[in-house]
Amino acid sequence: MMTMTISPPSIPLTHLQRYKTASVKQGLGNHQSIGGGGLLVMASSSPKNLTTTNYLKHVESMKSLPSGAGKISQLNAVILGEALASEEDDLVFPSDGFSRQALVPSPQKYLEMYKRSIEDPAGFWSDIASSEFYWKQRWGDHVYSENLDVRKGNIKIEWFKGGITNICYNCLDKNIDAGLGDKIALYWESNEPGFDATLTYSQLLGRVCQLANYLKSIGVRKGDAVIIYLPMLMELPIAMLACARIGAVHSVVFAGFSAESLAQRIMDCKPKVVITCNAVKRGPKTIALKDIVDAALIESAKNGTSADVCLTYENQSALKRESTKWQEGRDIWWEDVIPKYPTTCDVEWVDAEDPLFLLYTSGSTGKPKGVLHTTGGYMVYTATTFKYAFDYKESDVYWCTADCGWITGHSYVSYGPMLNGATVVVYEGAPNYPDPGRCWDIVDKYKVTIFYTAPTLVRSLMRDGDEYVTRYSRKSLRVLGSVGEPINPSAWRWFFNVVGGSKCPISDTWWQTETGGFMITPLPGAWPQKPGSATFPFFGVQPVIVDEKGVEIEGECSGYLCVKSSWPGAFRTLYGDHERYETTYFKPFPGYYFTGDGCSRDRDGYHWLTGRVDDVINVSGHRIGTAEVESALVSHPRCAEAAVVGVEHEVKGQGIYAFVTLVDGVSYSEELRRSLVLTVRNQIGAFAAPDKIHWAPSLPKTRSGKIMRRILRKIASRQLDELGDTSTLAEPGVVDQLIALADC
C-alpha cells in the first residue's frame, strides 16, 4: 500500500501582500456539505439544509466591486481595451461591450448559476445534459451518487448512470444533423510552413468511421484498450474518436515518451492494437517514432504482453516508408488499409459510466497511474467548461497548443471543442519554429479568436522579445487562456498587454488530469481579473482550503486545496488499482478530494495556486512555495524564466536553489546575481533568498513545454549519475550545459 505523509501547511501569504486589493467583503466562508461526504444519492430536488450565507461568501463579495471608470480608477485598475495593465494595476475589469455579449455577463449571473449548481447539482447538470447532448436512453432516477469519505466505505463517484450515449456521436453526427456538416472541424498546420490541410465535420466523420470499421475488423470490441502513440497529426483526434465510436478505451501516450515509458503503459493496459506513425518532424529534428514503438513492443513482449497489430501512418514529410523498419505480419500501413473501409459505421451505445479513456500520469512510486475517465459525466463537463470558460461563440476559431498526449489535448483540443461544434487548429510542430513568431503567424493565418497555451510557452516567447509578436496583426484574438501551472503576474501582464493588445481577457485555468476539466477559472466578461489568480470556482465545484488536520480555513488564508462533493468530470479510479486511488486522493483528508496543490485565498475570495505541496521547501522552519520564489525572480526585468528546487542544507535543513534563464543579450555577472537575490528578499523576505543562482541558458523541458524538475533536483544535488530518462526532453543537450555551468 502506498502511503502519503502530510506536512504542516504554511504556504506563505507574502505574495498576496504584494497585491493591493479593492475594499470589498471578506473572503470565502465556511462551505457547507451536501451529504457530508458519505454515500449520497440525489434526484433533482434541492437539499433543504443549505443556506447561501457562508458557502457563497467568496463569490458574493463581487457584488460590491464598483463599476464605472471613475470608481475603477481609484482602485489601481484598468478596463479591458482601454489601457495596458501595469504592476500597479491589481484588477482588470471587462469592458461593458465585452460583458454585454458574454455568456455569463456579470457577477450576478454567475452567482445565480453557481448557487443553483451547488444547492441543486442534480437539477443543474441534468438540465444541461438533457438539453445539449443526445442520449439514446435517459439515466435512471438518480442523477449522481457519491462517497468521498474513506471512513464510510469505498470511494465511489457516478454520474448519469443508466444513461446510454456515445461521445463520438455527440461530437460529430449530432453537429452534422444540426447543419454543421460543411463547417471546418479541423485546420491542420504542418511543422513546415506552407503545408496544411482541413477537414469539415462531414469529412471528419467519414475518416473516423473508416478507422472504426478497420478496428472492428481486426477484433477490437467494446471495452478493449487501444494505445495511440501519434504526434499532432489529424490522425490523432481521428483515432481517439474512432475508438470512442465503437466503445473501445483509448490510451493516448505522448509521442515524446521513451520506449521504456511506452512499454510500461502497454504492459499495464494490454492493448489489442498500437497506432503510431513512422516519424515526425519537430522543428528541424526528425524523430523516428516507429523505432520507439518497436523497442517498446520488444520490451513488453519480454514481460508477457504483446500487441498483434501495429497500425502505422506514413508521415511522408518526415520519413518515407522504404526507410521505415518493418515487421511483417504485425505492422500495417494505415494508408494501405483504412481508405478501403466504408465511411459509415454504426455507433456502439455505451452507459454513461462505461470507460472512455485511460491517461497515464506520473506517480511518486515510479509506476505511472492510469487515470480512468468514463463517458457521460466527462462529456457533459468538458463541453460545458469549454463553452463558458472561453465564452465560446459559433464563429470562433480555437487553438490550444497542447498535445493530445496530455489531458489538455483530450479535453480542450478534441472533445470539449468538438462537442460544441467548434473549429479547431491542430499544429504539428514546435511553437518557435522556424522562428519565435510562428504562433502569431498561425493566429493570423487562421484568424484564431481563442488562444490557449501554457505559462512556460508564454515566458519563452516573452524572452524572445516583443518584436516577434508585434510584427503580426493578431486582431482576430478575442480570448486568451493559460493552463498547466500558475502563471506569474509579470508573464500574465505580458500575455495580456503584448499578445492580446490589452483587449483579451485571460482564462487562467486551474484543473488536473484527474478532474477532467476546469475547476477554478475566470469566466470572460463576468468579473475583474487579478494577474496570476485563477479567480473563482466553476459551476458545481466546491473548493476548500484546509490545514494539516483537514479543518476548513475561512477568509484570507493559505493551505491545502481540496474539493468537497463530486463533479461530473471527476475520474473514477486508477486502472487496476482502486486502493492506490483511494490512498492517494482521498485518505489524506477524509471526506474530500485532495488535489495535492497548495492554494491561497485573498480577502476578495480570489484563489491563487501555489503549486504542488511537494514543491514546498522547508527553510529553517519556513515553508516556501517554489512557485512563489520563481514568480519573484521572473519579476526581475533581466530574468526571462526561473525554476526553483530544494537542496539539503546542513544548517537550514533545506536551501533554495534557483535555475535562472536571462533575457537575451544579458550577461551573467555577480552584480546581477546579487540583484536577483535582493528581488526575492524584497518581495518575500530574507528567509526566501536563494542560496544558489545557477545560470541556465535554457531549462530542461519536454516537447510539450513542461519543465523536468526531477532533473534539476539531481543537478542541484550533484547526483549526476541518477539523472534517469532524458529521452522526452526537447533539447537533451540542455542537461550538459547546466552541468557545465554548475560552478559558475
Side-chain angles (χ1 to χ4, degrees):
M1 177 184 293
M2 190 181 78
T3 59
M4 176 177 289
T5 302
I6 302 299
S7 303
S10 55
I11 300 166
L13 282 169
T14 48
H15 74 288
L16 298 178
Q17 296 162 2
R18 296 201 299 272
Y19 300 96
K20 298 182 289 291
T21 51
S23 176
V24 296
K25 293 181 182 178
Q26 279 292 34
L28 180 62
N30 178 33
H31 279 6
Q32 300 214 4
S33 171
I34 52 173
L39 184 63
L40 176 68
V41 180
M42 292 186 57
S44 295
S45 59
S46 300
K48 299 181 187 290
N49 62 341
L50 286 178
T51 63
T52 62
T53 305
N54 291 325
Y55 74 89
L56 285 177
K57 190 181 293 182
H58 65 300
V59 290
E60 287 181 330
S61 66
M62 291 187 296
K63 288 181 178 178
S64 57
L65 286 170
S67 59
K71 293 181 180 178
I72 290 173
S73 65
Q74 300 171 17
L75 293 173
N76 296 321
V78 296
I79 301 174
L80 196 70
E82 294 191 3
L84 299 178
S86 70
E87 290 187 13
E88 288 71 38
D89 295 319
D90 309 307
L91 292 168
V92 179
F93 281 76
S95 64
D96 288 342
F98 194 100
S99 290
R100 276 196 301 270
Q101 56 78 45
L103 295 174
V104 182
S106 65
Q108 290 72 26
K109 180 62 176 177
Y110 165 73
L111 270 170
E112 173 191 327
M113 296 177 71
Y114 183 75
K115 178 181 177 182
R116 188 189 176 211
S117 75
I118 301 303
E119 292 185 337
D120 180 20
F124 179 87
W125 290 111
S126 180
D127 286 351
I128 292 174
S130 300
S131 62
E132 300 190 20
F133 303 90
Y134 177 81
W135 300 83
K136 187 77 170 176
Q137 175 181 306
R138 188 180 164 85
W139 49 93
D141 294 336
H142 304 301
V143 177
Y144 75 100
S145 63
E146 67 178 24
N147 174 42
L148 305 189
D149 194 334
V150 292
R151 298 166 299 190
K152 299 181 179 181
N154 291 335
I155 300 298
K156 179 184 178 184
I157 299 170
E158 292 180 337
W159 282 82
F160 311 114
K161 187 170 178 60
I164 305 300
T165 189
N166 183 283
I167 196 170
C168 176
Y169 183 91
N170 277 278
C171 283
L172 302 179
D173 307 65
K174 181 176 179 293
N175 285 321
I176 293 168
D177 291 345
L180 300 182
D182 293 331
K183 182 178 181 179
I184 298 296
L186 297 176
Y187 284 118
W188 178 73
E189 177 77 5
S190 169
N191 178 72
E192 298 298 330
F195 295 89
D196 52 44
T198 61
L199 285 176
T200 65
Y201 270 92
S202 291
Q203 291 169 334
L204 178 58
L205 175 60
R207 298 275 289 273
V208 167
C209 287
Q210 286 180 317
L211 178 56
N213 284 320
Y214 169 75
L215 292 175
K216 289 200 298 184
S217 75
I218 61 172
V220 177
R221 298 290 181 262
K222 177 182 175 181
D224 289 340
V226 174
I227 287 273
I228 303 171
Y229 188 75
L230 282 168
M232 290 298 282
L233 305 172
M234 286 196 290
E235 283 67 25
L236 178 45
I238 287 170
M240 296 166 66
L241 289 163
C243 291
R245 192 168 191 85
I246 62 175
V249 181
H250 62 70
S251 180
V252 182
V253 179
F254 172 59
F257 274 118
S258 66
E260 180 182 353
S261 297
L262 177 58
Q264 284 182 321
R265 289 152 174 78
I266 291 172
M267 289 184 286
D268 194 63
C269 71
K270 299 175 174 53
K272 284 283 187 73
V273 58
V274 175
I275 302 176
T276 189
C277 72
N278 56 347
V280 66
K281 294 266 299 191
R282 181 78 178 177
K285 295 181 359 183
T286 300
I287 303 165
L289 297 181
K290 178 65 163 50
D291 290 353
I292 296 171
V293 173
D294 288 346
L297 289 173
I298 291 171
E299 181 65 24
S300 63
K302 290 178 183 176
N303 290 274
T305 302
S306 59
D308 296 331
V309 175
C310 179
L311 181 65
T312 306
Y313 181 80
E314 182 188 1
N315 191 14
Q316 294 184 8
S317 63
L319 187 70
K320 302 299 183 186
R321 67 167 63 190
E322 55 267 23
S323 301
T324 304
K325 295 177 183 177
W326 206 248
Q327 181 174 315
E328 294 295 338
R330 184 198 69 186
D331 298 345
I332 304 291
W333 285 112
W334 176 303
E335 289 89 340
D336 288 351
V337 295
I338 305 305
K340 298 177 181 178
Y341 283 83
T343 56
T344 59
C345 177
D346 291 341
V347 172
E348 180 72 35
W349 300 104
V350 300
D351 188 275
E353 282 300 318
D354 280 341
L356 174 62
F357 67 84
L358 283 173
L359 186 56
Y360 288 88
T361 185
S362 59
S364 58
T365 64
K367 183 190 177 196
K369 299 176 293 187
V371 170
L372 177 67
H373 281 283
T374 53
T375 301
Y378 175 84
M379 175 178 75
V380 172
Y381 197 70
T382 53
T384 307
T385 49
F386 173 84
K387 174 181 176 180
Y388 286 106
F390 294 121
D391 189 48
Y392 172 71
K393 306 290 193 292
E394 288 187 6
S395 58
D396 279 323
V397 176
Y398 168 79
W399 181 23
C400 171
T401 64
D403 191 287
C404 287
W406 310 112
I407 187 62
T408 304
H410 283 61
S411 298
Y412 301 113
V413 172
S414 298
Y415 291 120
M418 291 187 197
L419 287 165
N420 282 278
T423 295
V424 181
V425 174
V426 175
Y427 174 47
E428 176 191 22
N432 58 354
Y433 179 77
D435 64 48
R438 184 66 185 278
C439 284
W440 321 121
D441 180 48
I442 293 172
V443 165
D444 283 358
K445 178 177 179 177
Y446 297 107
K447 302 295 186 290
V448 172
T449 58
I450 304 172
F451 178 72
Y452 187 41
T453 193
T456 299
L457 178 58
V458 172
R459 290 191 293 267
S460 174
L461 296 174
M462 180 170 65
R463 179 192 180 199
D464 291 320
D466 296 0
E467 63 273 15
Y468 284 106
V469 183
T470 55
R471 68 174 60 165
Y472 297 96
S473 166
R474 312 171 326 283
K475 288 182 179 178
S476 60
L477 288 174
R478 192 175 68 82
V479 176
L480 302 175
S482 173
V483 59
E485 60 183 291
I487 185 170
N488 51 292
S490 61
W492 192 102
R493 291 187 183 94
W494 183 85
F495 199 26
F496 177 81
N497 290 333
V498 179
V499 175
S502 81
K503 297 176 295 187
C504 303
I506 299 174
S507 289
D508 180 10
T509 61
W510 174 80
W511 60 299
Q512 300 173 312
T513 302
E514 294 86 347
T515 71
F518 305 147
M519 300 291 281
I520 305 176
T521 178
L523 300 185
W527 58 71
Q529 295 182 265
K530 295 185 181 184
S533 170
T535 71
F536 297 100
F538 192 74
F539 306 126
V541 177
Q542 294 189 71
V544 295
I545 298 175
V546 303
D547 63 17
E548 77 277 7
K549 296 179 181 178
V551 177
E552 295 181 23
I553 315 172
E554 298 185 19
E556 187 175 358
C557 64
S558 189
Y560 295 105
L561 180 61
C562 293
V563 181
K564 65 163 57 174
S565 297
S566 67
W567 60 98
F571 72 133
R572 302 308 197 243
T573 190
L574 293 177
Y575 180 68
D577 200 347
H578 196 73
E579 182 181 15
R580 187 183 185 189
Y581 168 73
E582 295 185 345
T583 300
T584 303
Y585 300 99
F586 298 95
K587 282 189 178 179
F589 300 109
Y592 302 96
Y593 165 73
F594 174 46
T595 68
D597 282 340
C599 184
S600 295
R601 185 175 53 234
D602 68 18
R603 70 185 68 175
D604 303 327
Y606 283 68
H607 293 80
W608 302 80
L609 276 297
T610 56
R612 303 295 294 173
V613 293
D614 52 12
D615 288 337
V616 173
I617 304 171
N618 194 332
V619 180
S620 300
H622 298 285
R623 289 178 59 79
I624 304 162
T626 57
E628 182 178 14
V629 181
E630 291 167 0
S631 182
L633 287 166
V634 173
S635 71
H636 192 288
R638 296 187 179 183
C639 177
E641 193 165 20
V644 170
V645 298
V647 292
E648 290 187 11
H649 192 286
E650 61 181 5
V651 176
K652 295 185 288 187
Q654 279 188 299
I656 296 176
Y657 196 109
F659 293 84
V660 171
T661 301
L662 300 178
V663 173
D664 276 351
V666 176
S667 300
Y668 307 141
S669 71
E670 190 59 33
E671 180 185 0
L672 180 53
R673 193 193 307 270
R674 288 195 297 269
S675 178
L676 288 163
V677 172
L678 184 61
T679 297
V680 178
R681 290 174 65 96
N682 290 340
Q683 290 196 18
I684 303 176
F687 63 90
D691 297 275
K692 169 74 174 178
I693 299 288
H694 187 136
W695 303 122
S698 55
L699 296 171
K701 298 173 185 176
T702 65
R703 284 186 282 277
S704 67
K706 183 177 181 179
I707 297 172
M708 294 282 279
R709 296 176 189 273
R710 168 180 59 80
I711 292 175
L712 295 179
R713 291 189 187 98
K714 296 298 183 184
I715 293 173
S717 302
R718 301 297 190 269
Q719 296 172 304
L720 303 182
D721 57 343
E722 300 177 20
L723 292 175
D725 182 12
T726 60
S727 64
T728 60
L729 292 180
E731 298 291 343
V734 167
V735 175
D736 292 332
Q737 288 181 322
L738 291 176
I739 293 171
L741 288 167
D743 297 317
C744 294

